[in-house]
Amino acid sequence: MTSIDPQRPAAEPVKGESAVRTEALTKLYADAKRGEVRALDGLDLDCKYGEIYGLLGPNGAGKSTTLRILATMLAPTSGRATVAGYDVASDSLAVRRNVGFLSASTGLYPRLDVRETLEYFGRMHGLEERALADRIDELIEAFRMDSYVTRRCEHMSSGQKQRVSIARAVLHDPTVLILDEPTTGLDILSTSDMIDFIASRKDSGRCVLFSTHVLSEAERLCDRIGIIHHGRLLGSGTLPELRERTGAEYLDGIFRAFVEVDERAHIA
Amino acid sequence: MPPLLRAALRIAAKDLRSCLRDRQTIIYAVVLPLAMYPVMFWIMLQAQILIEGKRSAQTLSIAVLVEQSAAERAAELTSDLGLDTDATSFEAWAPLEVLGTSEPDLAAAARERARTLLELDSPPDVILAVYSPAGEQPTLAILYDGARARSTNARERLEQKLAELAEVARDDALESVGTDRNELAGLEFRPVNLATGKEVGAFIASMLLPMMIVVMAVMGAFYPAVDLTAGERERGTEETTLLLPVPRTAVQLGKLLAVTAIGGLASSMNLLGMGVAAGHLLGMTGAGGLDFQLDPLALLLVAPLVLIFVLFTSAILTAIASFAETFKQGQSLLGSAQLLFIFPAMASSLPGLTLTPGIAAIPVVGAAVGFRTILRGGPLGELPWGGLALCALAMVAYATLAVLVSVRLLNQELRTGGSTSVVARLRAAVGLTGGGSRQIQ
Amino acid sequence: MTTSSRPGAGGSGARASGGRSVVALVARGELLRLLRDRKAVFFALVLPLLLYPLLFLGSEKLGQASERRMEDQSVAIAANLEALDGDLRQQLLDRLPAPDGATFSIADELLEGLTDGAAPEAGAVGEDASNAGGDDHSGEDAQRERASELLEELAVDLLLVARPSDSEGSPPVIVAWFRRNDESGMRASQLIGSAVSDLSTTLFEARLVELLGVDPAQSFAATSEDVASVADSAGLALGKLLPLIAVLVVLSGGAFAALEAFAAEREVGTLETLLVQPVERIDIARGKLIAVLATGLAAWIGNAASLIACAAGGLLATIDEGLADAPVAVLIGRVGLGTVIMLPTIALIASVLGMVSARARSYREGQNYILPLTLAGMALASPAAAADVVFDPLLALIPVLGPSLAMRDALAGSLAPVPALVALASSAVYALLALRGIANTLDAERLLQGADVDAEAGARRAHARRAILWGGVGVGAVLLIGSWLQSKDLVWGLVATLWGLALGIALLAARDLGKKLDLRPAAVLGLTGGSPVGVGLGVCGALLAGPGLGQMAGKVLELQERVLPMPTVDAGAMEQVFAALLDRPLIVALFLVAISPAICEELLFRGAVLTGLRRDLSVGKTLGWQALLFALAHGSVHRLVPTASLGLILGLLRLRTGSILPCIALHASYNGVLVAATQMDPEGRAASLLQHPAWMLATIAGLALALLPRQAAVESTTPTTPTKPNAVPTADRQP
């Protein structure tokens, strides 16, 4: 039996310090039909505590691959990535302990109810029973889940499920929250709840890194935005910075400008 | 062509195409059947050779239990069995065991002693007791422990050895008086088989194949039946199909045809794989020995009936699978339903069952007996055409019924609003949910 | 929506969650969720529990019914016994009509045409009328025809005709004409056959006693008596059944849990959720495995309990009458012991199921793998159904088979401790290996990719996989089609197998792999590789070493015969085949036995397959795979070790010299010794020369000559340290 090394006290997040950092991150896939696919091609990323960072890009740009590498779900082919000060390759357990990860494909067990779900994952994190119970009560209240707390996940609406999923991801109060297209498939009310939630994380000095292709979300929420295309970070900065660099007013224009520059560079 | 059938064929073609593009279906219907049986038969054959080799090379030990007055005979036997010279067939277990002459019941005493010996830590494999009750001729008793494989083998070997010795003794004695066993023989029995190898092959095929056809048809239709019903429901593609502007009966019929096609493919591949593997690999060792060639005419004749049977099987399995909500559920539901087919098929392997109208109408039994009748061969005029026709008609009727039940189920579900439990579906199917009786067609 | 900052439960309040507690947590969670799916539990676990006993009992009853039916059926026999003298005739008649109301008619006048002419030969096995043709069989053919007509005409199942003896000093003949494709006819023949042989034996013994005064065989007559206790006999009867049931039940119950725990969870997406938790993946795998194990074990215990209950209730009297009398406590104890011995096997089955389901991308896919597993399990457990298979340490090593035999013996109360321990230990090792396999499979990489995308590591082995596939096709073709061809005509079949199948597949594989590897087919086959000098040295060394190696292989076979003896029947058959091939003009024999296999097999295994393997795999794995395929192509357990060792040497030769030619030379001279020994050296003088130490030295020298100078390796793209993930093998292909 392997045993997890005693919990190291997670570095208390200090605003402005790097929470997530990647250097020349590369990921290759082998596809049965297309041969080798370069999902990430030397990606450099730097997100800080107390910051909401949005990764923007079309489908297949490499957003999900990046986030999954950061959540230690995939191993990078080359390059380095650290999350909360831990290396994703050599210290993946410590990374997972400090990260909350949520994507459209992180499902919930259909036959467990809200409390059971949270208890199960809380124990995985090694939370003490008393503390866990308190934390679950707190989350149930915060996410207004009390009306369906004994309902099994298979019988919940997608909005309800999404709340349970978020509660699951922040159960251990991670310093870094990684969200892969968190609003996909949600209705208007749930989307708005989600946006509120993301905004709330910033106040406590946490880092939120999320991917989206909804431009308005990014405009509204993000302190900084990274534009990713063909596995490369084409540009990154605050919205005003990006506007200045491209001369475009709205994000769609900014995005197009970056892609055009990139493609021209490629042809030349 | 009636529009219903045309729509059904179109849906079937669509389903078929998507199934044939699915890797899993291809593995199930073609790759597995063709690869699995040869490998399995080869492994079994090798295992058998391995075990047989070990058995023939085994050294077994024998304890000889002697009562004083039979000591001379025992000594002869020991030398006849080669215990004191070579140990090729038996090795002697310890020196001779002696049995007291004073025992009133020598047989019982020998048995008792044998039990004690066999319970030792390293016991002899078999015990040969030699005793002469009250001065009579010496009696031989082989005592063994039937619960031990070595002992069973040792008994067999000893019996065989003694029989050989007996034959030699007879021949020697006869030779000494100048004659041989042929001159003393009473009668010679000569069985003459009038059937040709082909006919015998057909006969054996008729014994084995019907059961195989039933099993393979069920196995073949199993996966597509679940996949196209519960699987579609799970993947959420069922709704898309239901949105088509065609009658539900056509949808269900189309599905049935697709299941039949895939099921038929899988069944024939299974039969082929198994037949090739069994025929070639077992024939190779000489275990087959028979000219196991099937009569093409019989195969041609049996094919339509098999096809109808596959249709029938597919219809029943599809109907059962449509009760399930998920692939998994459908799968376990059909796992049990399989037995409904296999058991009657076993029953129909009873000899002497003929295709009377009553039997022809019993679902699986009729078909199995029908297969047997056709495969047995014989003049065309003598085939029970009426019974076969009845059997085919009955299967088509059952299949139709199954389609109707699943269409009814589909409609009930639309009315009650989708996702319900198996029990609710079952109730819906038999019409217990009340509600309007208007069919959505 | 807000969350408070850092509750007490956060990072600082968390305690270390050890691996053990994670395993327990996962296992508990799995079982809880399994049990909550009531319907699935009912269908997968409870229903079989109810149905299997029913099925067993039902098939038993069916067997009895069928037997009864057979016995009840009357048979119709028409007989002409005129040729027998009155007394003998009466004795035969006395024995004949007795059993179950056979209709018996003496129809002397009707059987004309069968009573004169030469008596026919016995034809037990279906003999084609056309095949019977020979020099003087026309009379017999006419008789057969007449007999067929009469069977129809009289509507009887069998015609019985007595004939006077064929020659002086032989007994009268009773001919039975019947059809072997007719149940009643076969049954009639059995009845008559046993009656005739019974009478014949009686007559023989009576005459013997008359002549000699006493039957000398009498003094060898022995009665056999089974002194096993009731409990042992009954236990054995049950023990023959239980291993198969255990394997099946554990497989079906375990499959249900395994598919749920791995394949289905992947489909729902919860596996991803699980893998982002801060726990080791191996612990998750272990936890899930424990759940699978528990389910399989529970299914087995349920079934075993119901079987014991059935046995105690006398329901299994058809299996063994003693079962009802055997003390229940003893039965429970023995089943318990058997279960303990089966435990590692149950764990192994659980692990294999886990591995298979973890590999599957969906529930559907997982399901596909269960059937072959079930069949394999059945095949391995079935030898335990025979009472006379001796449980020994060698068989104990075979997974499932060994423990099945152990369970049978445990039930019979005759379990030998040494093999039992071997079985326990070896199964435990296999189970652990499989467990490691699962942890590797539970790699998030595979899990997260779409249906057509394979893991990075997997794709890096694409060439090797293709090569193995081609090798497998070759093995299958040689074993299935080749052996069939050879059964039709040995020589031409062999030629077709080698020059048609093996060579054809080698060329196709070379073409296909050549495209993938960017090489010319000739290069894939190894025809163009290596430096002239190196290849020349290799060929010389190979020719020098071949005969000695061939001689050594004989020694290996002799040694092997001690642990793995070959049944005399099979050994004889193999010798016959060799004799048939070798007993020809020298050139032909050399061509068939030495040159053809050398060229065709080498081009396939050392040529195409090895090149493809080497592109992706390390030297060790390359050698291992091609040797395994080469050995499998010889299709026999007994030839596995010698052929695999030869394959290793040949593979090394190809890797070292870069050319196929030395391999062909070695293979040809290795096989050629056999030809030379039988044809030119019947006294074995050369063989003794080959065993001479000097020749051994020459062999070693030859090998050294061929192997030591490393001239040109077969191209490989494997980095020297293949574990390093950062090494990007094909980066240069990018624009």
Side-chain angles (χ1 to χ4, degrees):
Chain A
M1 291 264 160
T2 56
S3 74
I4 299 164
D5 47 4
Q7 176 114 6
R8 269 175 277 169
E12 196 56 30
V14 179
K15 248 184 198 170
E17 269 192 13
S18 269
V20 174
R21 210 188 169 93
T22 73
E23 287 161 27
L25 206 58
T26 307
K27 178 71 187 171
L28 298 175
Y29 289 128
D31 185 296
K33 293 196 181 68
R34 287 178 296 162
E36 202 171 65
V37 176
R38 191 160 281 245
L40 287 187
D41 191 5
L43 186 84
D44 299 306
L45 207 61
D46 187 12
C47 319
K48 309 207 177 329
Y49 286 115
E51 181 178 66
I52 298 179
Y53 192 101
L55 267 185
L56 204 64
N59 288 340
K63 301 187 300 278
S64 296
T65 308
T66 312
L67 298 186
R68 281 173 166 169
I69 289 177
L70 292 175
T72 75
M73 303 288 296
L74 294 179
T77 310
S78 70
R80 239 174 77 85
T82 54
V83 176
Y86 300 105
D87 188 279
V88 290
S90 59
D91 218 352
S92 63
L93 268 190
V95 170
R96 290 209 287 275
R97 217 173 279 136
N98 286 290
V99 149
F101 179 77
L102 177 66
S103 82
S105 56
T106 41
L108 294 172
Y109 289 110
R111 289 188 295 281
L112 294 187
D113 66 22
V114 176
R115 189 173 283 277
E116 284 166 340
T117 305
L118 296 179
E119 276 171 359
Y120 184 65
F121 289 109
R123 284 177 193 142
M124 288 256 173
H125 276 276
L127 301 185
E128 273 173 62
E129 289 301 315
R130 275 268 313 279
L132 177 61
D134 291 346
R135 176 68 174 155
I136 289 172
D137 287 338
E138 194 182 338
L139 288 169
I140 287 173
E141 203 191 317
F143 290 105
R144 302 197 300 275
M145 297 188 290
D146 20 9
S147 61
Y148 51 90
V149 78
T150 52
R151 196 179 296 171
R152 290 192 188 175
C153 291
E154 56 190 342
H155 301 306
M156 287 180 193
S157 72
S158 58
Q160 290 169 333
K161 270 189 205 159
Q162 183 71 2
R163 288 187 203 187
V164 181
S165 280
I166 299 171
R168 195 269 306 153
V170 298
L171 190 59
H172 54 301
D173 196 26
T175 54
V176 177
L177 192 62
I178 297 176
L179 307 170
D180 190 5
E181 303 196 353
T183 55
T184 304
L186 291 190
D187 63 5
I188 303 175
L189 274 178
S190 311
T191 306
S192 146
D193 276 354
M194 177 57 99
I195 289 176
D196 286 348
F197 164 72
I198 295 176
S200 76
R201 295 292 296 179
K202 185 182 161 181
D203 304 334
S204 46
R206 305 291 192 259
C207 171
V208 181
L209 172 59
F210 80 101
S211 72
T212 183
H213 50 235
V214 184
L215 302 175
S216 61
E217 258 172 33
E219 274 176 14
R220 212 184 113 190
L221 274 173
C222 298
D223 296 310
R224 284 198 302 147
I225 293 171
I227 291 177
I228 184 170
H229 189 56
H230 287 319
R232 284 191 309 274
L233 195 66
L234 299 184
S236 126
T238 60
L239 198 53
E241 282 169 10
L242 293 176
R243 281 186 182 133
E244 203 177 312
R245 275 175 65 183
T246 57
E249 168 70 22
Y250 296 106
L251 257 181
D252 57 336
I254 295 174
F255 185 80
R256 202 170 299 148
F258 270 111
V259 170
E260 272 165 19
V261 170
D262 180 56
E263 270 163 13
R264 230 173 290 139
H266 243 264
I267 293 161
Chain B
M1 197 187 289
L4 181 84
L5 196 59
R6 199 183 311 148
L9 281 178
R10 233 174 245 153
I11 289 172
K14 186 269 298 173
D15 277 344
L16 205 57
R17 190 161 53 219
S18 67
C19 272
L20 289 178
R21 281 185 189 166
D22 175 39
R23 220 175 92 127
Q24 294 317 311
T25 312
I26 295 298
I27 290 181
Y28 177 84
V30 183
V31 180
L32 268 187
L34 291 184
M36 187 169 62
Y37 297 105
V39 172
M40 201 179 83
F41 274 97
W42 185 78
I43 291 178
M44 282 171 73
L45 197 67
Q46 294 302 320
Q48 190 209 332
I49 292 177
L50 188 100
I51 289 168
E52 198 44 57
K54 293 208 72 104
R55 198 209 315 271
S56 61
Q58 217 167 34
T59 326
L60 298 166
S61 66
I62 180 169
V64 183
L65 195 58
V66 192
E67 180 254 338
Q68 230 93 70
S69 56
E72 201 182 323
R73 178 81 195 110
E76 280 167 26
L77 275 169
T78 336
S79 102
D80 283 346
L81 288 169
L83 285 182
D84 39 9
T85 47
D86 71 322
T88 40
S89 43
F90 281 109
E91 65 184 18
W93 184 88
L96 296 184
E97 279 278 328
V98 181
L99 204 63
T101 316
S102 54
E103 296 284 348
D105 182 354
L106 281 169
R111 198 179 301 129
E112 266 326 296
R113 184 72 194 125
R115 280 217 176 94
T116 350
L117 283 179
L118 287 168
E119 261 161 34
L120 290 177
D121 270 345
S122 48
D125 292 316
V126 68
I127 292 158
L128 178 63
V130 190
Y131 49 87
S132 303
E136 286 172 28
Q137 281 296 306
T139 308
L140 308 187
I142 297 172
L143 299 156
Y144 70 101
D145 179 357
R148 276 178 57 220
R150 286 182 69 88
S151 202
T152 309
N153 288 338
R155 182 205 85 180
E156 256 167 43
R157 197 181 277 181
L158 184 56
E159 279 175 351
Q160 201 187 332
K161 192 82 191 164
L162 286 176
E164 278 166 22
L165 288 173
E167 291 304 303
V168 171
R170 268 180 185 169
D171 283 344
D172 287 352
L174 286 174
E175 208 185 309
S176 66
V177 294
T179 176
D180 66 15
R181 58 175 61 233
N182 255 351
E183 278 184 36
L184 297 186
L187 288 169
E188 188 195 333
F189 183 60
R190 270 188 214 168
V192 183
N193 169 29
L194 289 170
T196 60
K198 226 182 206 167
E199 283 170 328
V200 178
F203 177 71
I204 294 174
S206 77
M207 301 291 278
L208 299 177
L209 271 183
M211 177 78 189
M212 281 292 116
I213 294 176
V214 172
V215 171
M216 294 305 179
V218 175
M219 263 175 64
F222 189 106
Y223 182 84
V226 183
D227 199 36
L228 285 179
T229 53
E232 281 226 333
R233 185 167 293 154
E234 200 173 39
R235 290 193 293 274
T237 46
E238 187 188 40
E239 220 162 286
T240 328
T241 318
L242 291 182
L243 282 173
L244 295 174
V246 291
R248 307 269 188 259
T249 323
V251 173
Q252 215 56 22
L253 204 57
K255 270 193 187 156
L256 173 59
L257 289 178
V259 173
T260 308
I262 305 273
L265 176 71
S267 318
S268 43
M269 287 296 145
N270 270 299
L271 282 171
L272 186 73
M274 184 139 181
V276 166
H280 287 177
L281 285 173
L282 295 183
M284 217 89 316
T285 60
L290 273 172
D291 181 17
F292 196 74
Q293 271 179 346
L294 285 174
D295 182 15
L297 181 68
L299 281 187
L300 211 65
L301 281 174
V302 87
L305 197 62
V306 172
L307 196 67
I308 295 174
F309 181 72
V310 172
L311 179 86
F312 158 78
T313 312
S314 306
I316 302 291
L317 293 187
T318 312
I320 294 176
S322 23
F323 284 101
E325 288 159 77
T326 59
F327 189 87
K328 196 175 64 186
Q329 227 178 48
Q331 141 95 39
S332 36
L333 203 58
L334 285 198
S336 309
Q338 271 179 323
L339 295 181
L340 293 180
F341 282 81
I342 291 167
F343 208 65
M346 272 163 72
S348 60
S349 67
L350 283 179
L353 224 53
T354 49
L355 204 58
T356 57
I359 284 182
I362 305 176
V364 180
V365 178
V369 175
F371 297 150
R372 190 167 69 180
T373 316
I374 299 178
L375 285 170
R376 193 153 293 185
L380 287 186
E382 281 176 23
L383 281 180
W385 291 108
L388 290 174
L390 182 65
C391 173
L393 274 179
M395 284 196 283
V396 172
Y398 295 127
T400 315
L401 205 64
V403 172
L404 290 180
V405 167
S406 40
V407 170
R408 192 188 167 93
L409 190 67
L410 213 56
N411 290 331
Q412 288 289 349
E413 196 176 308
L414 291 177
R415 213 171 305 127
T416 50
S419 177
T420 37
S421 70
V422 175
V423 182
R425 278 163 206 281
L426 197 64
R427 274 214 221 106
V430 293
L432 280 178
T433 26
S437 59
R438 193 171 57 91
Q439 295 277 313
I440 307 172
Q441 281 288 322
Chain C
M1 223 189 263
T2 55
T3 51
S4 73
S5 70
R6 193 155 279 270
S12 56
R15 65 184 151 80
S17 55
R20 201 173 302 253
S21 67
V22 172
V23 172
L25 182 64
V26 173
R28 230 179 16 236
E30 282 308 321
L31 286 174
L32 176 71
R33 290 200 313 279
L34 271 181
L35 286 177
R36 282 202 176 161
D37 193 352
R38 295 240 170 80
K39 264 171 271 172
V41 167
F42 178 76
F43 284 128
L45 297 179
V46 182
L47 204 57
L49 202 78
L50 302 174
L51 285 176
Y52 278 122
L54 262 182
L55 194 69
F56 277 116
L57 280 179
S59 56
E60 200 74 47
K61 285 264 167 333
L62 258 177
Q64 289 171 345
S66 139
E67 236 165 67
R68 261 203 309 279
R69 235 190 137 86
M70 279 297 256
E71 277 165 16
D72 289 349
Q73 248 167 18
S74 62
V75 290
I77 299 166
N80 181 332
L81 301 175
E82 273 178 338
L84 299 183
D85 65 56
D87 188 29
L88 193 58
R89 188 174 170 177
Q90 197 48 51
Q91 281 186 15
L92 183 59
L93 286 178
D94 284 345
R95 279 162 213 266
L96 273 182
D100 14 80
T103 325
F104 187 75
S105 63
I106 301 286
D108 291 347
E109 72 287 1
L110 285 173
L111 300 183
E112 255 172 278
L114 297 181
T115 46
D116 35 51
E121 294 299 311
V125 173
E127 194 182 319
D128 242 304
S130 53
N131 289 353
D135 26 45
D136 193 24
H137 282 283
S138 52
E140 195 167 315
D141 281 348
Q143 280 190 22
R144 291 179 75 99
E145 228 164 86
R146 172 84 182 121
S148 295
E149 280 169 25
L150 277 174
L151 274 182
E152 291 268 316
E153 230 170 77
L154 303 174
V156 290
D157 303 311
L158 184 135
L159 302 171
L160 196 63
V161 179
R163 311 282 303 251
S165 54
D166 291 341
S167 57
E168 192 67 27
S170 65
V173 178
I174 304 287
V175 183
W177 304 88
F178 69 107
R179 302 180 65 88
R180 207 166 262 275
N181 61 344
D182 172 56
E183 282 158 19
S184 313
M186 281 160 72
R187 184 159 161 65
S189 154
Q190 276 166 14
L191 286 175
I192 302 284
S194 66
V196 171
S197 78
D198 186 37
L199 176 59
S200 184
T201 312
T202 316
L203 285 174
F204 176 72
E205 280 168 1
R207 287 177 195 170
L208 207 64
V209 173
E210 195 179 303
L211 198 66
L212 301 169
V214 64
D215 181 359
Q218 204 53 50
S219 57
F220 290 97
T223 51
S224 291
E225 190 178 340
D226 184 357
V227 296
S229 67
V230 174
D232 286 356
S233 301
L236 177 66
L238 199 58
K240 291 196 287 186
L241 279 179
L242 277 192
L244 191 63
I245 300 179
V247 169
L248 281 181
V249 160
V250 170
L251 262 164
S252 72
F256 158 67
L259 288 173
E260 183 75 9
F262 292 99
E265 189 155 357
R266 168 172 298 192
E267 233 174 341
V268 187
T270 44
L271 199 52
E272 187 175 346
T273 317
L274 202 54
L275 292 180
V276 288
Q277 304 307 313
V279 292
E280 297 283 358
R281 266 151 211 172
I282 180 96
D283 288 335
I284 295 179
R286 282 181 184 141
K288 284 173 174 291
L289 209 64
I290 287 175
V292 176
L293 185 81
T295 318
L297 196 61
W300 162 238
I301 289 173
N303 274 276
S306 98
L307 269 171
I308 292 178
C310 285
L315 282 177
L316 299 182
T318 45
I319 296 171
D320 187 275
E321 279 162 16
L323 266 174
D325 307 326
V328 177
V330 173
L331 273 186
I332 292 177
R334 289 186 177 179
V335 172
L337 176 62
T339 307
V340 169
I341 293 172
M342 267 285 177
L343 266 182
T345 307
I346 296 176
L348 172 66
I349 293 175
S351 306
V352 171
L353 284 172
M355 194 154 69
V356 160
S357 349
R359 253 173 200 288
R361 293 190 186 88
S362 64
Y363 192 91
R364 258 152 47 94
E365 187 180 342
Q367 189 56 46
N368 251 351
Y369 300 137
I370 303 299
L371 177 68
L373 273 187
T374 310
L375 284 180
M378 276 168 68
L380 283 171
S382 54
D388 58 353
V389 177
V390 177
F391 180 47
D392 67 9
L394 184 79
L395 291 182
L397 280 175
I398 302 176
V400 182
L401 174 59
S404 294
L405 291 173
M407 188 182 222
R408 180 202 67 189
D409 283 1
L411 262 292
S414 63
L415 185 62
V418 175
L421 285 176
V422 172
L424 264 175
S426 61
S427 314
V429 170
Y430 302 140
L432 283 177
L433 287 178
L435 175 66
R436 265 185 44 178
I438 303 187
N440 291 339
T441 319
L442 208 62
D443 148 20
E445 194 97 4
R446 280 182 62 86
L447 174 79
L448 295 172
Q449 325 231 333
D452 290 327
V453 184
D454 215 323
E456 226 175 345
R460 254 191 265 130
R461 278 186 239 117
H463 304 304
R465 278 198 202 163
R466 227 180 163 80
I468 292 173
L469 188 71
W470 274 112
V473 168
V475 171
V478 167
L479 282 186
L480 267 181
I481 307 173
S483 56
W484 176 69
L485 287 172
Q486 285 164 46
S487 73
K488 296 278 160 199
D489 183 304
L490 184 62
V491 171
W492 289 111
L494 185 67
V495 170
T497 307
L498 290 170
W499 291 98
L501 290 173
L503 187 64
I505 290 169
L507 294 178
L508 285 177
R511 223 177 88 109
D512 175 62
L513 287 167
K515 264 186 224 154
K516 304 275 165 197
L517 301 172
D518 230 356
L519 287 175
R520 294 212 331 277
V524 176
L525 291 172
L527 291 169
T528 57
S531 69
V533 178
V535 174
L537 280 178
V539 170
C540 293
L543 286 175
L544 193 60
L549 285 177
Q551 198 63 33
M552 272 189 230
K555 292 275 162 220
V556 172
L557 271 178
E558 267 170 43
L559 281 178
Q560 182 185 270
E561 189 64 24
R562 287 195 205 155
V563 262
L564 214 66
M566 206 180 208
T568 35
V569 183
D570 296 77
M574 208 156 114
E575 251 164 47
Q576 259 181 2
V577 168
F578 273 118
L581 286 174
L582 292 170
D583 189 22
R584 282 167 205 283
L586 182 63
I587 301 292
V588 179
L590 274 178
F591 176 78
L592 287 176
V593 178
I595 296 170
S596 299
I599 294 177
C600 303
E601 288 175 9
E602 286 317 297
L603 285 176
L604 177 58
F605 293 107
R606 253 63 62 185
V609 171
L610 184 138
T611 311
L613 286 170
R614 181 59 189 131
R615 183 60 71 99
D616 294 338
L617 300 181
S618 63
V619 171
K621 279 189 181 164
T622 304
L623 286 178
W625 270 108
Q626 57 90 23
L628 179 70
L629 287 168
F630 176 61
L632 283 180
H634 289 79
S636 146
V637 177
H638 293 90
R639 295 176 69 188
L640 210 61
V641 175
T643 42
S645 332
L646 176 66
L648 284 177
I649 296 173
L650 288 166
L652 200 60
L653 203 56
R654 161 89 159 92
L655 285 181
R656 280 295 197 169
T657 62
S659 167
I660 195 74
L661 300 176
C663 306
I664 294 177
L666 182 65
H667 197 155
S669 56
Y670 176 97
N671 283 11
V673 171
L674 198 63
V675 184
T678 35
Q679 294 234 339
M680 310 194 307
D681 180 35
E683 290 101 45
R685 233 175 296 142
S688 60
L689 177 73
L690 284 175
Q691 284 167 18
H692 194 272
W695 194 272
M696 286 290 147
L697 276 179
T699 304
I700 292 165
L703 273 182
L705 192 65
L707 289 176
L708 283 185
R710 184 192 166 98
Q711 291 110 4
V714 178
E715 197 184 338
S716 155
T717 48
T718 324
T720 33
T721 49
T723 40
K724 209 169 178 180
N726 286 5
V728 185
T730 41
D732 50 343
R733 258 191 246 151
Q734 283 294 315

